[in-house]
């Protein structure tokens, strides 16, 4: 059996064409079932539906053989026990620093102020501000980071931005780009050896599909 870990929503939707290229068609959509294990047209391939941030953990421990996870999630996880052979170039976005409109971020940084930063991405925020020599207090949140500056919880947030619509709707502006994010294929290191014959053609199909998008 090959088990593939995916999260609902954009990652599932954008992984579907890649699975199709490998001849794999899920028998149900995660949005229309409460099942967490979803079969496919291939009797020896199943999907498990987990939180986006849990995908690396399932694959690390071999509960899933492969998975798809954002680079944001992989950096926070640390990537232990995982191969990351392929950038699937899906679910693209940017990790940014954002503040409330009118907040003088440059000025605060120049004056050596100690900034309060709310984020789910504490590892990346720590590394970013350390590399700039800016002192920060990190406040860990699990969602809706955009709210934090509006209610005085933080001076700035570190969050993902794709269209920019959420920032705009909440009177926030991006002031720094930390990195471009896309989703990667992750593979359990021992599964790659033990299930090589079954996995390699899938990896080849994913690879070819990603490459064909550049043509
Ligand atoms: O939602 P849940 O709490 O379960 O987990 P999650 O948010 O990690 O999962 P999901 O499915 O929302 O995101 C999975 C992956 O998609 C992330 O790990 C990213 O790699 C990638 N991705 C791409 C995004 C976005 N674009 C994105 N825009 N993840 C989140 N967002 C959020 C962002 O945090 C912000 O709140 O969307 C909002 C901003 O979007 P715009 O379009 O208004 O700029
Ligand atoms: Mg989300």
């Amino acid at each position: 059996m090959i088990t593939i870990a995916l999260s609902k929503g954009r990652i599932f939707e954008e992984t579907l064409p890649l699975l199709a290229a490998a001849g794999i068609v899920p028998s149900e959509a995660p949005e229309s079932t409460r099942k967490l294990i979803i079969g496919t047209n291939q009797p020896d391939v199943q999907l498990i539906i987990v939180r986006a941030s849990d995908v690396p953990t399932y694959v690390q421990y071999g509960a899933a053989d492969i998975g798809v996870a954002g680079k944001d999630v992989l950096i926070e996880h640390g990537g232990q026990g995982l191969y990351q052979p392929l950038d699937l170039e899906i679910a693209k976005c940017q990790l940014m620093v954002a503040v409330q409109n009118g907040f003088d971020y440059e000025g605060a940084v120049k004056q050596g102020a100690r900034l309060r930063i709310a984020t789910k991405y504490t590892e990346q925020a720590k590394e970013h501000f350390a590399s700039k020599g800016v002192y920060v207090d990190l406040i860990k949140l699990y969602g809706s980071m955009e709210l934090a500056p509006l209610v005085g919880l933080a001076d700035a947030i570190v969050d993902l931005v794709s269209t920019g619509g959420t920032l705009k709707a909440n009177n926030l502006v991006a002031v720094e780009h930390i990195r471009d994010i896309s989703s990667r294929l992750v593979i359990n290191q021992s599964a790659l050896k033990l299930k090589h014959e079954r996995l390699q053609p899938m990896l080849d199909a994913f690879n070819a599909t990603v490459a064909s998008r550049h043509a």
Side-chain angles (χ1 to χ4, degrees), residues 115-180:
L115 292 174
R116 293 224 294 183
I117 308 291
T119 188
K120 179 161 130 184
Y121 305 101
T122 48
E123 289 304 317
Q124 292 165 91
K126 202 190 300 169
E127 185 203 297
H128 173 72
F129 291 106
S131 76
K132 286 169 59 84
V134 174
Y135 291 102
V136 293
D137 291 314
L138 293 176
I139 300 174
K140 169 90 181 183
L141 292 178
Y142 294 88
S144 303
M145 268 79 84
E146 293 88 355
L147 181 61
L150 307 182
V151 293
L153 179 62
D155 302 308
I157 60 171
V158 168
D159 194 11
L160 301 175
V161 178
S162 49
T163 62
T166 307
L167 291 184
K168 204 169 170 208
N170 291 291
N171 194 33
L172 302 173
V173 283
V175 288
E176 245 167 22
H177 173 268
I178 300 180
R179 62 168 51 87
D180 290 331

Side-chain angles (χ1 to χ4, degrees), residues 1-212:
M1 181 63 76
I2 299 291
T3 300
I4 304 176
L6 296 175
S7 54
K8 282 194 214 199
R10 67 190 109 224
I11 288 191
F12 183 85
E13 300 303 328
E14 295 190 42
T15 302
L16 276 179
L18 296 161
L19 292 174
I24 301 164
V25 181
S27 27
E28 287 176 275
E31 317 301 343
S32 58
T33 177
R34 290 180 181 229
K35 283 188 200 162
L36 298 173
I37 301 181
I38 296 180
T40 72
N41 63 328
Q42 308 281 326
D44 64 340
V45 179
Q46 65 181 7
L47 310 180
I48 60 172
I49 306 301
V50 303
R51 283 294 288 267
S53 48
D54 290 335
V55 166
T57 306
Y58 279 85
V59 177
Q60 170 187 7
Y61 289 100
D65 300 300
I66 68 178
V68 175
K71 192 66 187 170
D72 50 323
V73 161
L74 288 166
I75 294 174
E76 295 298 316
H77 170 269
Q80 308 90 327
L82 304 174
Y83 284 125
Q84 297 180 35
L86 181 61
D87 182 351
L88 299 172
E89 299 175 21
I90 60 171
K92 287 185 184 177
C93 55
Q94 301 183 315
L95 188 68
M96 308 276 263
V97 181
V99 298
Q100 200 167 4
N101 234 322
F103 179 81
D104 181 10
Y105 177 73
E106 286 304 325
V109 165
K110 257 189 220 126
Q111 284 162 26
R114 194 173 180 101
L115 292 174
R116 293 224 294 183
I117 308 291
T119 188
K120 179 161 130 184
Y121 305 101
T122 48
E123 289 304 317
Q124 292 165 91
K126 202 190 300 169
E127 185 203 297
H128 173 72
F129 291 106
S131 76
K132 286 169 59 84
V134 174
Y135 291 102
V136 293
D137 291 314
L138 293 176
I139 300 174
K140 169 90 181 183
L141 292 178
Y142 294 88
S144 303
M145 268 79 84
E146 293 88 355
L147 181 61
L150 307 182
V151 293
L153 179 62
D155 302 308
I157 60 171
V158 168
D159 194 11
L160 301 175
V161 178
S162 49
T163 62
T166 307
L167 291 184
K168 204 169 170 208
N170 291 291
N171 194 33
L172 302 173
V173 283
V175 288
E176 245 167 22
H177 173 268
I178 300 180
R179 62 168 51 87
D180 290 331
I181 300 282
S182 57
S183 286
R184 315 293 159 117
L185 185 69
V186 292
I187 310 182
N188 176 272
Q189 290 180 348
S190 39
L192 187 60
K193 295 185 195 98
L194 297 171
K195 302 184 181 180
H196 187 264
E197 250 173 68
R198 187 69 177 93
L199 284 176
Q200 195 57 51
M202 285 184 200
L203 306 191
D204 292 343
F206 297 160
N207 233 318
T209 307
V210 175
S212 74

